[in-house]
Amino acid sequence: MEPCVVLKFGEMALKGRNRWRFTQQLRGNIRELMADLGPLDVRQRAGVLTIGTPKDPHLLLERSRDIVGISVVCPAFRLEKSEQAAVDAGVELLRNRSGKTFAIRARRRDKRFPLRSNELAARVGAAVCQQLGLTVDLTSPDLEVYLEVDQDEILAYTEKQAGQGGLPIGISGRAVALLSGGIDSPVACYRMLRRGLGCDFVHFSGRPFTGPESIYKAYAHVRTLSRYQPASRLFIVPFGHAQRQLASAGAGRLQVIAQRRLMVRVASELARRQKAQALVTGDSLGQVSSQTLENLAAVESADTLPVLRPLIDRDKSEIVAEAKTLGTLEVSNLPDEDCCTLFSSQQAVTKARPAALERLERRLDEDLIEGLVDAAQMVIPAKNALGAESEASSPVHEPAAS
Ligand code: ATP
Ligand code: MG
């Protein structure tokens, strides 16, 4: 019995004639995500992928649970395609397990196999009854063995674990995601990755007027998200001088919204350079004064790219629960000097008027956006926590180092 994992497609199983595109993307993503697991044996059947590797099967299983686009992950074995091999595997997989009743669930994907599904299940079941003394219960058994008869082999497993679900990352295009050190934005990014959107990340730091803490937090978030999207790129924009320029131009109570508009413009220019088609933010309607409908509209109108806001209808408590599951909450809760509160001592307006914002923006340097994009530093945080070093660091206008 050779260990492997069986992966079942999620929503992409429904994609009809486009399915080959989805599976091609998925297979590419798997190779990237598991590049360090040695030579992979990836095989595809209708609606199912199997992966085997001579290296660590536990690591293979762990990584399989991180593949976006897979709904079910089964730790499995490949068997020789024979009745005897199925009988032996059925007995072995149930030996010494706690439970008194069992069911064999057989499926014949290759109709040339001489036994029909129910015949195969009956023969394996009879051997289990005889050799292990267990009782058949097809309705609510304590234990189950799944046998799938394929072209070249039989796949056998006892357990179905939940995968990430969603669509393969990259299939829905690319976006630039605005990632702060806060709780919401990493959750928003994960949700969009799960919809198949490849993401580059941009963080605006108040440097040189704030410390580097928020950068470390954004870096840590990208590292967490790299479990799902390896080699994720983080662009760090030193934003402090631009914020001061806004304050000197008399932004007053418009400071926060004007900053958000600048962020959208810089992120959009970055997106164009990276051939991305949308922006992602962690906005939630009404959460803070910058997120009233009027202010969201004022921020969005700063550029033409669509702004995706997957958390728009979420309560804070729901987002916190998701951040906990994702594993970003602890880092988000660390103290930092948020750039948004720099130069904005007064309470923000709840209904920013576009004309007032435009008047303010006419007082800014003409090449402000270009300058900020050029000043961005790119890093690719390493995936693993131990010995994590960034892989590359270069200005955005130069080709990425890796
Ligand atoms: P939290 O609400 O948990 O403090 P947040 O990241 O949602 O964190 P908000 O002030 O609500 O912060 O900002 C709304 C959205 O604007 C963020 O989700 C993020 O997408 C974007 N944003 C805010 N500040 C920054 C920043 N410094 N760098 C990049 N994006 C930012
Ligand atoms: Mg928020």
Side-chain angles (χ1 to χ4, degrees), residues 173-179 189 193 197-203 222 225 229-235 267 270-280 378-380:
R174 282 203 80 73
V176 167
L178 284 79
L179 186 65
C189 295
L193 288 173
L197 195 64
C199 288
D200 289 318
F201 304 96
V202 59
H203 174 70
V222 175
L225 294 167
Q229 178 186 257
S232 294
R233 295 183 296 184
L234 169 64
F235 296 94
L270 250 175
R272 287 187 190 97
R273 293 190 191 185
Q274 305 303 320
K275 308 223 175 326
Q277 305 135 289
L279 304 183
V280 174
M378 189 196 74
V379 288
I380 302 181

PDB file of all heavy atoms in Angstrom, residues 173-179 189 193 197-203 222 225 229-235 267 270-280 378-380:
ATOM      1  N   GLY A 173      -7.960  36.093 -11.798  1.00  0.00           N
ATOM      2  CA  GLY A 173      -7.182  37.285 -12.121  1.00  0.00           C
ATOM      3  C   GLY A 173      -6.314  37.722 -10.952  1.00  0.00           C
ATOM      4  O   GLY A 173      -6.099  36.958 -10.014  1.00  0.00           O
ATOM      5  N   ARG A 174      -5.809  38.972 -11.034  1.00  0.00           N
ATOM      6  CA  ARG A 174      -4.890  39.481 -10.001  1.00  0.00           C
ATOM      7  C   ARG A 174      -5.406  40.788  -9.437  1.00  0.00           C
ATOM      8  O   ARG A 174      -6.064  41.554 -10.130  1.00  0.00           O
ATOM      9  CB  ARG A 174      -3.506  39.765 -10.598  1.00  0.00           C
ATOM     10  CG  ARG A 174      -2.651  38.567 -10.812  1.00  0.00           C
ATOM     11  CD  ARG A 174      -1.179  38.937 -10.858  1.00  0.00           C
ATOM     12  NE  ARG A 174      -0.612  39.115  -9.534  1.00  0.00           N
ATOM     13  CZ  ARG A 174      -0.356  38.127  -8.692  1.00  0.00           C
ATOM     14  NH1 ARG A 174      -0.637  36.887  -9.015  1.00  0.00           N
ATOM     15  NH2 ARG A 174       0.174  38.383  -7.506  1.00  0.00           N
ATOM     16  N   ALA A 175      -5.054  41.042  -8.172  1.00  0.00           N
ATOM     17  CA  ALA A 175      -5.430  42.303  -7.536  1.00  0.00           C
ATOM     18  C   ALA A 175      -4.286  42.772  -6.649  1.00  0.00           C
ATOM     19  O   ALA A 175      -3.384  42.005  -6.323  1.00  0.00           O
ATOM     20  CB  ALA A 175      -6.684  42.114  -6.690  1.00  0.00           C
ATOM     21  N   VAL A 176      -4.344  44.046  -6.275  1.00  0.00           N
ATOM     22  CA  VAL A 176      -3.451  44.578  -5.246  1.00  0.00           C
ATOM     23  C   VAL A 176      -4.304  44.785  -3.995  1.00  0.00           C
ATOM     24  O   VAL A 176      -5.330  45.464  -4.048  1.00  0.00           O
ATOM     25  CB  VAL A 176      -2.793  45.894  -5.692  1.00  0.00           C
ATOM     26  CG1 VAL A 176      -2.119  46.590  -4.512  1.00  0.00           C
ATOM     27  CG2 VAL A 176      -1.760  45.620  -6.786  1.00  0.00           C
ATOM     28  N   ALA A 177      -3.892  44.153  -2.890  1.00  0.00           N
ATOM     29  CA  ALA A 177      -4.681  44.209  -1.654  1.00  0.00           C
ATOM     30  C   ALA A 177      -4.021  45.162  -0.670  1.00  0.00           C
ATOM     31  O   ALA A 177      -2.816  45.080  -0.424  1.00  0.00           O
ATOM     32  CB  ALA A 177      -4.783  42.815  -1.051  1.00  0.00           C
ATOM     33  N   LEU A 178      -4.830  46.073  -0.108  1.00  0.00           N
ATOM     34  CA  LEU A 178      -4.319  47.044   0.874  1.00  0.00           C
ATOM     35  C   LEU A 178      -4.311  46.397   2.258  1.00  0.00           C
ATOM     36  O   LEU A 178      -5.370  46.068   2.807  1.00  0.00           O
ATOM     37  CB  LEU A 178      -5.183  48.312   0.887  1.00  0.00           C
ATOM     38  CG  LEU A 178      -4.954  49.259  -0.288  1.00  0.00           C
ATOM     39  CD1 LEU A 178      -5.650  48.775  -1.535  1.00  0.00           C
ATOM     40  CD2 LEU A 178      -5.413  50.672   0.054  1.00  0.00           C
ATOM     41  N   LEU A 179      -3.119  46.192   2.765  1.00  0.00           N
ATOM     42  CA  LEU A 179      -2.940  45.415   3.997  1.00  0.00           C
ATOM     43  C   LEU A 179      -2.386  46.311   5.093  1.00  0.00           C
ATOM     44  O   LEU A 179      -1.241  46.780   5.013  1.00  0.00           O
ATOM     45  CB  LEU A 179      -1.964  44.275   3.696  1.00  0.00           C
ATOM     46  CG  LEU A 179      -1.724  43.238   4.773  1.00  0.00           C
ATOM     47  CD1 LEU A 179      -2.981  42.437   5.057  1.00  0.00           C
ATOM     48  CD2 LEU A 179      -0.607  42.297   4.345  1.00  0.00           C
ATOM     49  N   CYS A 189      -8.099  39.734   2.646  1.00  0.00           N
ATOM     50  CA  CYS A 189      -7.169  39.180   1.639  1.00  0.00           C
ATOM     51  C   CYS A 189      -7.375  37.673   1.501  1.00  0.00           C
ATOM     52  O   CYS A 189      -7.452  37.143   0.385  1.00  0.00           O
ATOM     53  CB  CYS A 189      -5.724  39.459   2.037  1.00  0.00           C
ATOM     54  SG  CYS A 189      -5.330  41.207   2.034  1.00  0.00           S
ATOM     55  N   LEU A 193      -8.335  35.606  -1.859  1.00  0.00           N
ATOM     56  CA  LEU A 193      -7.494  34.509  -2.356  1.00  0.00           C
ATOM     57  C   LEU A 193      -8.367  33.272  -2.586  1.00  0.00           C
ATOM     58  O   LEU A 193      -8.237  32.575  -3.589  1.00  0.00           O
ATOM     59  CB  LEU A 193      -6.389  34.157  -1.349  1.00  0.00           C
ATOM     60  CG  LEU A 193      -5.230  35.143  -1.169  1.00  0.00           C
ATOM     61  CD1 LEU A 193      -4.333  34.690  -0.017  1.00  0.00           C
ATOM     62  CD2 LEU A 193      -4.403  35.284  -2.438  1.00  0.00           C
ATOM     63  N   LEU A 197      -8.509  34.807  -6.564  1.00  0.00           N
ATOM     64  CA  LEU A 197      -7.850  36.047  -6.962  1.00  0.00           C
ATOM     65  C   LEU A 197      -6.398  36.030  -6.460  1.00  0.00           C
ATOM     66  O   LEU A 197      -6.168  35.952  -5.252  1.00  0.00           O
ATOM     67  CB  LEU A 197      -8.614  37.220  -6.328  1.00  0.00           C
ATOM     68  CG  LEU A 197      -8.336  38.613  -6.866  1.00  0.00           C
ATOM     69  CD1 LEU A 197      -8.774  38.729  -8.325  1.00  0.00           C
ATOM     70  CD2 LEU A 197      -9.070  39.658  -6.029  1.00  0.00           C
ATOM     71  N   GLY A 198      -5.448  36.101  -7.378  1.00  0.00           N
ATOM     72  CA  GLY A 198      -4.042  36.218  -6.970  1.00  0.00           C
ATOM     73  C   GLY A 198      -3.823  37.620  -6.416  1.00  0.00           C
ATOM     74  O   GLY A 198      -4.353  38.579  -6.971  1.00  0.00           O
ATOM     75  N   CYS A 199      -3.083  37.756  -5.305  1.00  0.00           N
ATOM     76  CA  CYS A 199      -2.929  39.080  -4.694  1.00  0.00           C
ATOM     77  C   CYS A 199      -1.469  39.458  -4.488  1.00  0.00           C
ATOM     78  O   CYS A 199      -0.662  38.654  -4.024  1.00  0.00           O
ATOM     79  CB  CYS A 199      -3.614  39.119  -3.324  1.00  0.00           C
ATOM     80  SG  CYS A 199      -5.411  39.108  -3.414  1.00  0.00           S
ATOM     81  N   ASP A 200      -1.156  40.716  -4.843  1.00  0.00           N
ATOM     82  CA  ASP A 200       0.035  41.381  -4.335  1.00  0.00           C
ATOM     83  C   ASP A 200      -0.466  42.238  -3.191  1.00  0.00           C
ATOM     84  O   ASP A 200      -1.623  42.675  -3.193  1.00  0.00           O
ATOM     85  CB  ASP A 200       0.658  42.287  -5.405  1.00  0.00           C
ATOM     86  CG  ASP A 200       1.297  41.481  -6.518  1.00  0.00           C
ATOM     87  OD1 ASP A 200       1.958  40.476  -6.208  1.00  0.00           O
ATOM     88  OD2 ASP A 200       1.128  41.847  -7.698  1.00  0.00           O
ATOM     89  N   PHE A 201       0.407  42.510  -2.219  1.00  0.00           N
ATOM     90  CA  PHE A 201      -0.032  43.261  -1.038  1.00  0.00           C
ATOM     91  C   PHE A 201       0.709  44.584  -0.958  1.00  0.00           C
ATOM     92  O   PHE A 201       1.895  44.649  -1.297  1.00  0.00           O
ATOM     93  CB  PHE A 201       0.228  42.428   0.223  1.00  0.00           C
ATOM     94  CG  PHE A 201      -0.438  41.085   0.162  1.00  0.00           C
ATOM     95  CD1 PHE A 201       0.258  39.960  -0.266  1.00  0.00           C
ATOM     96  CD2 PHE A 201      -1.791  40.949   0.468  1.00  0.00           C
ATOM     97  CE1 PHE A 201      -0.367  38.722  -0.365  1.00  0.00           C
ATOM     98  CE2 PHE A 201      -2.428  39.719   0.374  1.00  0.00           C
ATOM     99  CZ  PHE A 201      -1.708  38.601  -0.042  1.00  0.00           C
ATOM    100  N   VAL A 202       0.000  45.618  -0.500  1.00  0.00           N
ATOM    101  CA  VAL A 202       0.667  46.907  -0.302  1.00  0.00           C
ATOM    102  C   VAL A 202       0.361  47.408   1.105  1.00  0.00           C
ATOM    103  O   VAL A 202      -0.785  47.343   1.566  1.00  0.00           O
ATOM    104  CB  VAL A 202       0.276  47.940  -1.392  1.00  0.00           C
ATOM    105  CG1 VAL A 202      -1.212  48.213  -1.422  1.00  0.00           C
ATOM    106  CG2 VAL A 202       1.029  49.261  -1.182  1.00  0.00           C
ATOM    107  N   HIS A 203       1.429  47.854   1.776  1.00  0.00           N
ATOM    108  CA  HIS A 203       1.266  48.415   3.125  1.00  0.00           C
ATOM    109  C   HIS A 203       1.812  49.840   3.143  1.00  0.00           C
ATOM    110  O   HIS A 203       2.918  50.089   2.663  1.00  0.00           O
ATOM    111  CB  HIS A 203       2.015  47.560   4.150  1.00  0.00           C
ATOM    112  CG  HIS A 203       1.995  48.159   5.520  1.00  0.00           C
ATOM    113  ND1 HIS A 203       0.846  48.213   6.276  1.00  0.00           N
ATOM    114  CD2 HIS A 203       2.958  48.768   6.256  1.00  0.00           C
ATOM    115  CE1 HIS A 203       1.106  48.826   7.424  1.00  0.00           C
ATOM    116  NE2 HIS A 203       2.380  49.172   7.432  1.00  0.00           N
ATOM    117  N   VAL A 222       1.533  38.633   5.639  1.00  0.00           N
ATOM    118  CA  VAL A 222       1.806  38.079   4.301  1.00  0.00           C
ATOM    119  C   VAL A 222       2.419  36.684   4.442  1.00  0.00           C
ATOM    120  O   VAL A 222       2.104  35.771   3.681  1.00  0.00           O
ATOM    121  CB  VAL A 222       2.715  39.017   3.480  1.00  0.00           C
ATOM    122  CG1 VAL A 222       3.096  38.371   2.148  1.00  0.00           C
ATOM    123  CG2 VAL A 222       2.006  40.344   3.225  1.00  0.00           C
ATOM    124  N   LEU A 225      -0.346  34.352   4.990  1.00  0.00           N
ATOM    125  CA  LEU A 225      -1.110  34.127   3.756  1.00  0.00           C
ATOM    126  C   LEU A 225      -0.312  33.321   2.729  1.00  0.00           C
ATOM    127  O   LEU A 225      -0.889  32.719   1.821  1.00  0.00           O
ATOM    128  CB  LEU A 225      -1.550  35.474   3.167  1.00  0.00           C
ATOM    129  CG  LEU A 225      -2.561  36.242   4.038  1.00  0.00           C
ATOM    130  CD1 LEU A 225      -2.706  37.687   3.572  1.00  0.00           C
ATOM    131  CD2 LEU A 225      -3.928  35.546   4.044  1.00  0.00           C
ATOM    132  N   GLN A 229      -0.788  31.113  -0.789  1.00  0.00           N
ATOM    133  CA  GLN A 229      -0.241  31.684  -2.026  1.00  0.00           C
ATOM    134  C   GLN A 229       1.262  31.863  -1.822  1.00  0.00           C
ATOM    135  O   GLN A 229       1.705  32.879  -1.276  1.00  0.00           O
ATOM    136  CB  GLN A 229      -0.896  33.037  -2.325  1.00  0.00           C
ATOM    137  CG  GLN A 229      -0.328  33.689  -3.580  1.00  0.00           C
ATOM    138  CD  GLN A 229      -0.864  35.101  -3.796  1.00  0.00           C
ATOM    139  OE1 GLN A 229      -1.721  35.301  -4.616  1.00  0.00           O
ATOM    140  NE2 GLN A 229      -0.335  36.081  -3.081  1.00  0.00           N
ATOM    141  N   PRO A 230       2.069  30.877  -2.244  1.00  0.00           N
ATOM    142  CA  PRO A 230       3.500  30.987  -1.998  1.00  0.00           C
ATOM    143  C   PRO A 230       4.098  32.184  -2.730  1.00  0.00           C
ATOM    144  O   PRO A 230       3.531  32.666  -3.715  1.00  0.00           O
ATOM    145  CB  PRO A 230       4.076  29.680  -2.551  1.00  0.00           C
ATOM    146  CG  PRO A 230       2.949  28.888  -3.066  1.00  0.00           C
ATOM    147  CD  PRO A 230       1.694  29.668  -2.979  1.00  0.00           C
ATOM    148  N   ALA A 231       5.252  32.635  -2.259  1.00  0.00           N
ATOM    149  CA  ALA A 231       5.991  33.745  -2.884  1.00  0.00           C
ATOM    150  C   ALA A 231       5.122  34.987  -3.068  1.00  0.00           C
ATOM    151  O   ALA A 231       5.170  35.647  -4.104  1.00  0.00           O
ATOM    152  CB  ALA A 231       6.597  33.302  -4.221  1.00  0.00           C
ATOM    153  N   SER A 232       4.319  35.304  -2.064  1.00  0.00           N
ATOM    154  CA  SER A 232       3.483  36.511  -2.126  1.00  0.00           C
ATOM    155  C   SER A 232       4.367  37.751  -2.000  1.00  0.00           C
ATOM    156  O   SER A 232       5.302  37.769  -1.209  1.00  0.00           O
ATOM    157  CB  SER A 232       2.486  36.509  -0.965  1.00  0.00           C
ATOM    158  OG  SER A 232       1.580  35.456  -1.105  1.00  0.00           O
ATOM    159  N   ARG A 233       4.011  38.766  -2.761  1.00  0.00           N
ATOM    160  CA  ARG A 233       4.831  39.994  -2.746  1.00  0.00           C
ATOM    161  C   ARG A 233       4.177  41.075  -1.898  1.00  0.00           C
ATOM    162  O   ARG A 233       2.986  41.328  -2.022  1.00  0.00           O
ATOM    163  CB  ARG A 233       5.007  40.499  -4.176  1.00  0.00           C
ATOM    164  CG  ARG A 233       5.793  39.515  -5.018  1.00  0.00           C
ATOM    165  CD  ARG A 233       6.042  40.020  -6.399  1.00  0.00           C
ATOM    166  NE  ARG A 233       4.801  40.198  -7.155  1.00  0.00           N
ATOM    167  CZ  ARG A 233       4.764  40.556  -8.417  1.00  0.00           C
ATOM    168  NH1 ARG A 233       5.891  40.788  -9.060  1.00  0.00           N
ATOM    169  NH2 ARG A 233       3.619  40.692  -9.044  1.00  0.00           N
ATOM    170  N   LEU A 234       4.997  41.688  -1.056  1.00  0.00           N
ATOM    171  CA  LEU A 234       4.523  42.800  -0.227  1.00  0.00           C
ATOM    172  C   LEU A 234       5.268  44.067  -0.635  1.00  0.00           C
ATOM    173  O   LEU A 234       6.501  44.093  -0.633  1.00  0.00           O
ATOM    174  CB  LEU A 234       4.781  42.494   1.254  1.00  0.00           C
ATOM    175  CG  LEU A 234       4.582  43.662   2.232  1.00  0.00           C
ATOM    176  CD1 LEU A 234       3.134  44.135   2.269  1.00  0.00           C
ATOM    177  CD2 LEU A 234       5.035  43.248   3.645  1.00  0.00           C
ATOM    178  N   PHE A 235       4.520  45.105  -0.990  1.00  0.00           N
ATOM    179  CA  PHE A 235       5.103  46.402  -1.317  1.00  0.00           C
ATOM    180  C   PHE A 235       4.915  47.324  -0.116  1.00  0.00           C
ATOM    181  O   PHE A 235       3.790  47.457   0.382  1.00  0.00           O
ATOM    182  CB  PHE A 235       4.424  47.000  -2.551  1.00  0.00           C
ATOM    183  CG  PHE A 235       4.654  46.178  -3.796  1.00  0.00           C
ATOM    184  CD1 PHE A 235       3.733  45.219  -4.197  1.00  0.00           C
ATOM    185  CD2 PHE A 235       5.812  46.343  -4.544  1.00  0.00           C
ATOM    186  CE1 PHE A 235       3.960  44.453  -5.331  1.00  0.00           C
ATOM    187  CE2 PHE A 235       6.049  45.574  -5.684  1.00  0.00           C
ATOM    188  CZ  PHE A 235       5.114  44.624  -6.077  1.00  0.00           C
ATOM    189  N   ALA A 267      -2.010  52.483  -4.890  1.00  0.00           N
ATOM    190  CA  ALA A 267      -2.255  51.047  -5.101  1.00  0.00           C
ATOM    191  C   ALA A 267      -2.697  50.780  -6.541  1.00  0.00           C
ATOM    192  O   ALA A 267      -2.316  49.771  -7.141  1.00  0.00           O
ATOM    193  CB  ALA A 267      -3.312  50.557  -4.115  1.00  0.00           C
ATOM    194  N   LEU A 270       0.331  50.947  -8.759  1.00  0.00           N
ATOM    195  CA  LEU A 270       1.062  49.692  -8.550  1.00  0.00           C
ATOM    196  C   LEU A 270       0.388  48.551  -9.308  1.00  0.00           C
ATOM    197  O   LEU A 270       1.055  47.740  -9.950  1.00  0.00           O
ATOM    198  CB  LEU A 270       0.997  49.338  -7.065  1.00  0.00           C
ATOM    199  CG  LEU A 270       2.252  49.446  -6.228  1.00  0.00           C
ATOM    200  CD1 LEU A 270       1.915  49.174  -4.773  1.00  0.00           C
ATOM    201  CD2 LEU A 270       3.294  48.482  -6.723  1.00  0.00           C
ATOM    202  N   ALA A 271      -0.923  48.511  -9.208  1.00  0.00           N
ATOM    203  CA  ALA A 271      -1.693  47.453  -9.873  1.00  0.00           C
ATOM    204  C   ALA A 271      -1.435  47.496 -11.382  1.00  0.00           C
ATOM    205  O   ALA A 271      -1.231  46.461 -12.010  1.00  0.00           O
ATOM    206  CB  ALA A 271      -3.183  47.621  -9.577  1.00  0.00           C
ATOM    207  N   ARG A 272      -1.417  48.691 -11.948  1.00  0.00           N
ATOM    208  CA  ARG A 272      -1.189  48.788 -13.395  1.00  0.00           C
ATOM    209  C   ARG A 272       0.200  48.258 -13.741  1.00  0.00           C
ATOM    210  O   ARG A 272       0.364  47.527 -14.706  1.00  0.00           O
ATOM    211  CB  ARG A 272      -1.347  50.228 -13.869  1.00  0.00           C
ATOM    212  CG  ARG A 272      -2.800  50.626 -13.866  1.00  0.00           C
ATOM    213  CD  ARG A 272      -3.101  51.970 -14.482  1.00  0.00           C
ATOM    214  NE  ARG A 272      -4.487  52.251 -14.173  1.00  0.00           N
ATOM    215  CZ  ARG A 272      -4.898  53.004 -13.158  1.00  0.00           C
ATOM    216  NH1 ARG A 272      -4.019  53.615 -12.378  1.00  0.00           N
ATOM    217  NH2 ARG A 272      -6.177  53.156 -12.909  1.00  0.00           N
ATOM    218  N   ARG A 273       1.178  48.611 -12.922  1.00  0.00           N
ATOM    219  CA  ARG A 273       2.543  48.128 -13.195  1.00  0.00           C
ATOM    220  C   ARG A 273       2.640  46.614 -13.044  1.00  0.00           C
ATOM    221  O   ARG A 273       3.454  45.972 -13.696  1.00  0.00           O
ATOM    222  CB  ARG A 273       3.545  48.794 -12.252  1.00  0.00           C
ATOM    223  CG  ARG A 273       3.688  50.294 -12.506  1.00  0.00           C
ATOM    224  CD  ARG A 273       4.848  50.885 -11.735  1.00  0.00           C
ATOM    225  NE  ARG A 273       4.823  52.347 -11.777  1.00  0.00           N
ATOM    226  CZ  ARG A 273       5.781  53.102 -11.269  1.00  0.00           C
ATOM    227  NH1 ARG A 273       6.820  52.555 -10.669  1.00  0.00           N
ATOM    228  NH2 ARG A 273       5.690  54.418 -11.337  1.00  0.00           N
ATOM    229  N   GLN A 274       1.826  46.042 -12.158  1.00  0.00           N
ATOM    230  CA  GLN A 274       1.879  44.588 -11.931  1.00  0.00           C
ATOM    231  C   GLN A 274       0.823  43.850 -12.753  1.00  0.00           C
ATOM    232  O   GLN A 274       0.607  42.665 -12.559  1.00  0.00           O
ATOM    233  CB  GLN A 274       1.644  44.267 -10.444  1.00  0.00           C
ATOM    234  CG  GLN A 274       2.572  44.968  -9.471  1.00  0.00           C
ATOM    235  CD  GLN A 274       4.034  44.690  -9.766  1.00  0.00           C
ATOM    236  OE1 GLN A 274       4.379  43.561 -10.111  1.00  0.00           O
ATOM    237  NE2 GLN A 274       4.869  45.704  -9.665  1.00  0.00           N
ATOM    238  N   LYS A 275       0.140  44.558 -13.629  1.00  0.00           N
ATOM    239  CA  LYS A 275      -0.933  43.979 -14.462  1.00  0.00           C
ATOM    240  C   LYS A 275      -2.061  43.373 -13.608  1.00  0.00           C
ATOM    241  O   LYS A 275      -2.598  42.303 -13.914  1.00  0.00           O
ATOM    242  CB  LYS A 275      -0.383  42.936 -15.430  1.00  0.00           C
ATOM    243  CG  LYS A 275       0.795  43.422 -16.263  1.00  0.00           C
ATOM    244  CD  LYS A 275       0.676  42.995 -17.697  1.00  0.00           C
ATOM    245  CE  LYS A 275       1.743  43.534 -18.620  1.00  0.00           C
ATOM    246  NZ  LYS A 275       2.262  44.872 -18.339  1.00  0.00           N
ATOM    247  N   ALA A 276      -2.387  44.050 -12.519  1.00  0.00           N
ATOM    248  CA  ALA A 276      -3.513  43.606 -11.688  1.00  0.00           C
ATOM    249  C   ALA A 276      -4.745  44.418 -12.064  1.00  0.00           C
ATOM    250  O   ALA A 276      -4.633  45.548 -12.547  1.00  0.00           O
ATOM    251  CB  ALA A 276      -3.186  43.790 -10.213  1.00  0.00           C
ATOM    252  N   GLN A 277      -5.925  43.830 -11.835  1.00  0.00           N
ATOM    253  CA  GLN A 277      -7.155  44.446 -12.376  1.00  0.00           C
ATOM    254  C   GLN A 277      -8.080  45.025 -11.311  1.00  0.00           C
ATOM    255  O   GLN A 277      -9.162  45.512 -11.648  1.00  0.00           O
ATOM    256  CB  GLN A 277      -7.940  43.384 -13.158  1.00  0.00           C
ATOM    257  CG  GLN A 277      -7.151  42.704 -14.256  1.00  0.00           C
ATOM    258  CD  GLN A 277      -7.380  41.201 -14.229  1.00  0.00           C
ATOM    259  OE1 GLN A 277      -6.925  40.499 -13.335  1.00  0.00           O
ATOM    260  NE2 GLN A 277      -8.107  40.711 -15.211  1.00  0.00           N
ATOM    261  N   ALA A 278      -7.736  44.900 -10.045  1.00  0.00           N
ATOM    262  CA  ALA A 278      -8.657  45.378  -8.994  1.00  0.00           C
ATOM    263  C   ALA A 278      -7.869  45.648  -7.713  1.00  0.00           C
ATOM    264  O   ALA A 278      -6.697  45.273  -7.601  1.00  0.00           O
ATOM    265  CB  ALA A 278      -9.734  44.334  -8.733  1.00  0.00           C
ATOM    266  N   LEU A 279      -8.536  46.312  -6.757  1.00  0.00           N
ATOM    267  CA  LEU A 279      -7.969  46.501  -5.417  1.00  0.00           C
ATOM    268  C   LEU A 279      -8.833  45.728  -4.424  1.00  0.00           C
ATOM    269  O   LEU A 279     -10.003  45.458  -4.695  1.00  0.00           O
ATOM    270  CB  LEU A 279      -7.973  47.987  -5.028  1.00  0.00           C
ATOM    271  CG  LEU A 279      -7.269  48.966  -5.972  1.00  0.00           C
ATOM    272  CD1 LEU A 279      -7.305  50.381  -5.371  1.00  0.00           C
ATOM    273  CD2 LEU A 279      -5.835  48.547  -6.260  1.00  0.00           C
ATOM    274  N   VAL A 280      -8.238  45.396  -3.281  1.00  0.00           N
ATOM    275  CA  VAL A 280      -8.989  44.735  -2.203  1.00  0.00           C
ATOM    276  C   VAL A 280      -8.756  45.529  -0.927  1.00  0.00           C
ATOM    277  O   VAL A 280      -7.616  45.918  -0.641  1.00  0.00           O
ATOM    278  CB  VAL A 280      -8.489  43.284  -1.987  1.00  0.00           C
ATOM    279  CG1 VAL A 280      -9.169  42.647  -0.771  1.00  0.00           C
ATOM    280  CG2 VAL A 280      -8.713  42.441  -3.231  1.00  0.00           C
ATOM    281  N   MET A 378       9.869  46.218  -2.311  1.00  0.00           N
ATOM    282  CA  MET A 378       9.173  44.925  -2.405  1.00  0.00           C
ATOM    283  C   MET A 378       9.898  43.864  -1.594  1.00  0.00           C
ATOM    284  O   MET A 378      11.118  43.762  -1.679  1.00  0.00           O
ATOM    285  CB  MET A 378       9.088  44.472  -3.852  1.00  0.00           C
ATOM    286  CG  MET A 378       8.186  43.262  -4.018  1.00  0.00           C
ATOM    287  SD  MET A 378       8.417  42.426  -5.583  1.00  0.00           S
ATOM    288  CE  MET A 378       9.962  41.611  -5.327  1.00  0.00           C
ATOM    289  N   VAL A 379       9.156  43.111  -0.822  1.00  0.00           N
ATOM    290  CA  VAL A 379       9.741  41.963  -0.114  1.00  0.00           C
ATOM    291  C   VAL A 379       8.864  40.738  -0.368  1.00  0.00           C
ATOM    292  O   VAL A 379       7.665  40.860  -0.617  1.00  0.00           O
ATOM    293  CB  VAL A 379       9.859  42.188   1.417  1.00  0.00           C
ATOM    294  CG1 VAL A 379      10.940  43.184   1.736  1.00  0.00           C
ATOM    295  CG2 VAL A 379       8.547  42.597   2.032  1.00  0.00           C
ATOM    296  N   ILE A 380       9.497  39.579  -0.319  1.00  0.00           N
ATOM    297  CA  ILE A 380       8.740  38.323  -0.426  1.00  0.00           C
ATOM    298  C   ILE A 380       9.001  37.555   0.857  1.00  0.00           C
ATOM    299  O   ILE A 380      10.032  36.899   0.986  1.00  0.00           O
ATOM    300  CB  ILE A 380       9.172  37.499  -1.662  1.00  0.00           C
ATOM    301  CG1 ILE A 380       8.977  38.329  -2.934  1.00  0.00           C
ATOM    302  CG2 ILE A 380       8.380  36.199  -1.739  1.00  0.00           C
ATOM    303  CD1 ILE A 380       9.340  37.619  -4.212  1.00  0.00           C
TER     304      ILE A 380
END
